[in-house]
Amino acid sequence: MGYKSDIEIAREAQKRPIQEIGAKRGISSDDLLPYGHDKAKVSQSFIDSVQGNKNGKLILVTAINPTPAGEGKTTTTVGLGDGLNRIGKKATVCIREASLGPNFGMKGGAAGGGYAQVVPMEDMNLHFTGDFHAITSAHSLLSAMIDNHIYWGNELDIDTRRVVWRRVVDMNDRALRQINVSLGGVANGFPRESGFDITVASEVMAILCLAKNLQDLEDRLGSMIVAYRRDKSPVFCRDIKAEGAMTVLLKDAMQPNLVQTLENNPAFVHGGPFANIAHGCNSVIATTTALKISDYVVTEAGFGADLGAEKFMNIKCRKAGLAPDCVVLVATVRAMKMNGGVAKADLGAENVDAVKAGCPNLGRHIENVKSFGVPVVVAINHFVTDTEAEIEAVKAYVAGHGAEAVLSRHWELGSEGSEPLARKVVEMAEAGNANFAPLYPDEMSLFQKIETIAKRIYRADEVLADQKIRNQLKEWEAQGYGNLPVCMAKTQYSFTTDPNRRGAPTGHSVPVREVRLSAGAGFVVVVCGEIMTMPGLPSKPAAETIRLNAGGQIEGLF
């Protein structure tokens, strides 16, 4: 039996005008800023008007460590949202926007799949409403103003060797990781080393996703540290006087984007920090607004639970005062087999022993999520090649870890296929058994926070960090930043810093290569192993096969 591609399904969608979608959650046409017929931004005045409402239930969707077999975390998020609406709950989906870098690299689209998608698919995976461009522009404005300040006399006495504000572009471009700027003589300024990160790793992105409103956004932007003087005292964005103009550039980007699922249910798509090099969650303003107008909000955290869920709990929930009522942990039979040593080409053949051998990765994530005091249900994202024996092997393993696994067929059947999962989520969320708490207290030292995550989430024996890094952390503590959470930048493919070590390894170390203070966002980025804050394109990037067909439609992006 043949199956339609994601893009074929998306193009057949019977979309409703975005005003109708907004009306389902009490958002009037006057409170929507339309971008065409099928997407719109939600006004700050509407957001302010619902703050007195009671919060709905918050459901986090996370996953095992990603494999080339695919897990379908976003697909499950969308499918669960539709399933909850199917059984009579007012449910709203909250996911991140897609970065151009991975879209043109190897990841492809980020709007779900099969009959569990958010539309308009092409727009969401390309320029959408321009939010990422606004973030790139605001970041670039600050970059330009720092070098301009130095050029016109350097009144702040910035040590040009200690400018820590790098540049960004929303593309995978390894050639820009380390660069020299201001070359070409006196007219171009003072030469120094710099580099580029991808836009989704920008502190501006993190701030947009954590800020509560425009004033909070401007205050946080002003608090960003951009450089240091010779006496090592920090120079802030507010010292450069850039935060006001940056906020102007971001005023529309700050407003959440409203779109719809294939079943015409509301979805907020807003913000997009990566989970391996940033905090990996959609915006606080989108999530908190959705909670005020919904019975249930289904949101996702990037990559595996060791990265996305950990940061959702320790950073987003801590900063926004949120607490999940239930966590859905996504796994596939195919991924279990791959963790069990089966090659990708052989995943279609039944192999119950390999499923069992690969399940410890799933078990580790179940244990980790439970350590936050939140109930967890495993969603087995169904593939048509799965056999009953393989599915039962996963269910039996999960039961042995004190949890339940539910088969969900949303990719194939939409909300009809996710209804069993939706009913289980409602049962767990309304039981009121969640007793959420972050993994570590604010008062713990920065290095102890790093060790806590490495040992309790990754199951590492030790953290390796040279004296320079340890001294830097102590300096930040002395400056009043010791109460910040830490944001681990690590490979998404493994609990270790080695992307090739699958399963649930123990007896490993976590090497810390670099630490960065994001004072405006309110966390310390800890760069581990070989992870890069500017990815590169693969040997055959997806961009090679992306084009417009004769009918003006996009081919090859999905």
Side-chain angles (χ1 to χ4, degrees):
M1 177 179 175
Y3 290 91
K4 293 179 181 178
S5 68
D6 291 349
I7 189 61
E8 286 176 323
I9 294 170
R11 284 177 182 156
E12 293 174 357
Q14 301 295 310
K15 290 182 289 186
R16 304 303 304 159
I18 198 62
Q19 291 80 3
E20 286 187 24
I21 305 302
K24 290 187 174 186
R25 295 295 176 268
I27 309 172
S28 71
S29 297
D30 291 341
D31 286 312
L32 292 174
L33 176 63
Y35 281 67
H37 300 291
D38 51 13
K39 52 190 179 294
K41 285 190 166 290
V42 179
S43 73
Q44 185 65 48
S45 60
F46 174 80
I47 294 168
D48 293 341
S49 73
V50 298
Q51 290 312 300
N53 294 3
K54 181 184 175 183
N55 279 346
K57 302 286 188 185
L58 179 60
I59 311 301
L60 172 67
V61 179
T62 185
I64 61 171
N65 292 98
T67 69
E71 286 65 57
K73 179 161 47 62
T74 304
T75 305
T76 304
T77 302
V78 178
L80 175 57
D82 283 338
L84 288 164
N85 279 291
R86 180 184 181 87
I87 63 173
K89 303 296 182 182
K90 284 200 307 181
T92 303
V93 168
C94 286
I95 61 175
R96 294 173 296 165
E97 300 178 53
S99 167
L100 294 180
N103 281 351
F104 289 114
M106 61 188 295
K107 185 171 182 283
Y115 287 92
Q117 296 186 52
V118 174
V119 287
M121 193 184 192
E122 296 103 316
D123 291 1
M124 276 185 54
N125 286 298
L126 293 170
H127 303 288
F128 200 27
T129 57
D131 293 346
F132 281 26
H133 299 312
I135 290 165
T136 304
S137 296
H139 187 114
S140 299
L141 172 63
L142 178 55
S143 299
M145 289 181 71
I146 293 166
D147 284 310
N148 187 62
H149 178 89
I150 294 169
Y151 178 83
W152 289 108
N154 197 6
E155 183 182 342
L156 292 169
D157 196 28
I158 293 171
D159 184 346
T160 56
R161 302 165 303 174
R162 293 190 173 95
V163 176
V164 295
W165 189 254
R166 291 159 59 86
R167 286 164 160 79
V168 298
V169 64
D170 190 28
M171 193 56 61
N172 295 2
D173 193 347
R174 64 173 58 82
L176 294 176
R177 286 172 183 161
Q178 290 297 130
I179 61 169
N180 291 320
V181 297
S182 299
L183 302 180
V186 173
N188 297 339
F190 298 87
R192 62 179 181 85
E193 275 193 72
S194 187
F196 274 78
D197 294 329
I198 192 166
T199 295
V200 288
S202 168
E203 187 175 355
V204 178
M205 172 69 82
I207 286 173
L208 182 105
C209 290
L210 291 170
K212 296 178 178 67
N213 50 48
L214 284 172
Q215 187 58 58
D216 187 28
L217 176 75
E218 183 169 341
D219 292 344
R220 287 173 176 270
L221 292 171
S223 296
M224 296 187 300
I225 294 174
V226 300
Y228 291 89
R229 300 176 179 86
R230 288 183 179 270
D231 64 2
K232 296 188 179 179
S233 62
V235 178
F236 297 94
C237 173
R238 70 173 72 93
D239 298 324
I240 303 293
K241 299 182 176 63
E243 74 275 22
M246 292 173 73
T247 303
V248 169
L249 285 174
L250 295 168
K251 69 178 180 65
D252 290 338
M254 185 67 187
Q255 297 174 306
N257 306 297
L258 177 68
V259 287
Q260 62 191 288
T261 69
L262 290 177
E263 300 190 13
N264 310 122
N265 293 312
F268 283 133
V269 181
H270 194 220
F274 276 3
N276 56 353
I277 54 181
H279 74 281
C281 307
N282 75 299
S283 74
V284 164
I285 196 169
T287 303
T288 54
T289 301
L291 283 167
K292 296 295 184 183
I293 57 176
S294 313
D295 300 328
Y296 279 78
V297 171
V298 185
T299 190
E300 68 171 356
F303 293 129
D306 58 316
L307 285 171
E310 181 270 309
K311 294 172 184 180
F312 179 89
M313 310 284 196
N314 282 323
I315 298 176
K316 181 173 179 176
C317 288
R318 186 192 304 263
K319 297 286 184 184
L322 298 172
D325 294 281
C326 175
V327 173
V328 177
L329 181 58
V330 181
T332 62
V333 167
R334 289 164 55 87
M336 292 300 95
K337 286 193 279 192
M338 185 162 264
N339 269 294
V342 176
K344 187 176 180 182
D346 301 325
L347 291 175
E350 182 178 85
N351 192 331
V352 176
D353 289 340
V355 170
K356 292 177 180 177
C359 277
N361 183 270
L362 173 59
R364 174 77 56 81
H365 287 296
I366 293 172
E367 293 167 8
N368 285 348
V369 171
K370 283 186 172 182
S371 71
F372 288 95
V374 184
V376 57
V377 58
V378 173
I380 304 175
N381 181 20
H382 182 256
F383 277 67
V384 293
T385 54
D386 299 346
T387 69
E388 282 299 319
E390 290 172 331
I391 292 166
E392 288 306 313
V394 176
K395 287 184 174 180
Y397 181 88
V398 171
H401 277 68
E404 184 177 335
V406 178
L407 185 68
S408 190
R409 301 178 65 183
H410 46 272
W411 181 88
E412 181 184 4
L413 301 173
S415 64
E416 179 187 350
S418 63
E419 185 174 333
L421 177 63
R423 292 193 181 280
K424 184 62 184 178
V425 165
V426 169
E427 175 192 325
M428 296 180 70
E430 297 191 354
N433 294 328
N435 189 23
F436 169 72
L439 201 62
Y440 51 79
D442 293 343
E443 309 79 55
M444 185 181 280
S445 74
L446 292 173
F447 192 74
Q448 283 180 307
K449 290 170 183 171
I450 297 168
E451 284 189 316
T452 298
I453 293 172
K455 292 179 178 180
R456 292 185 58 182
I457 300 296
Y458 309 154
R459 302 302 202 278
D461 287 345
E462 60 180 346
V463 173
L464 303 176
D466 63 30
Q467 198 59 47
K468 180 181 177 183
I469 288 172
R470 292 170 187 258
N471 289 342
Q472 179 65 83
L473 294 172
K474 288 177 181 175
E475 280 183 30
W476 289 335
E477 287 169 353
Q479 293 167 5
Y481 297 109
N483 65 336
L484 298 183
V486 294
C487 180
M488 306 294 282
K490 179 188 77 72
T491 180
Q492 64 268 35
Y493 298 113
S494 172
F495 280 105
T496 74
T497 56
D498 178 357
N500 298 310
R501 289 190 69 180
R502 293 206 175 98
T506 57
H508 59 96
S509 303
V510 175
V512 176
R513 193 177 83 236
E514 178 188 357
V515 287
R516 300 180 182 179
L517 174 58
S518 295
F523 53 70
V524 173
V525 179
V526 182
V527 184
C528 302
E530 299 301 314
I531 194 71
M532 295 290 180
T533 50
M534 168 55 85
L537 292 171
S539 58
K540 291 200 174 293
E544 291 182 2
T545 57
I546 294 172
R547 56 182 46 84
L548 292 175
N549 63 22
Q553 295 176 319
I554 299 167
E555 300 283 351
L557 183 57
F558 315 106

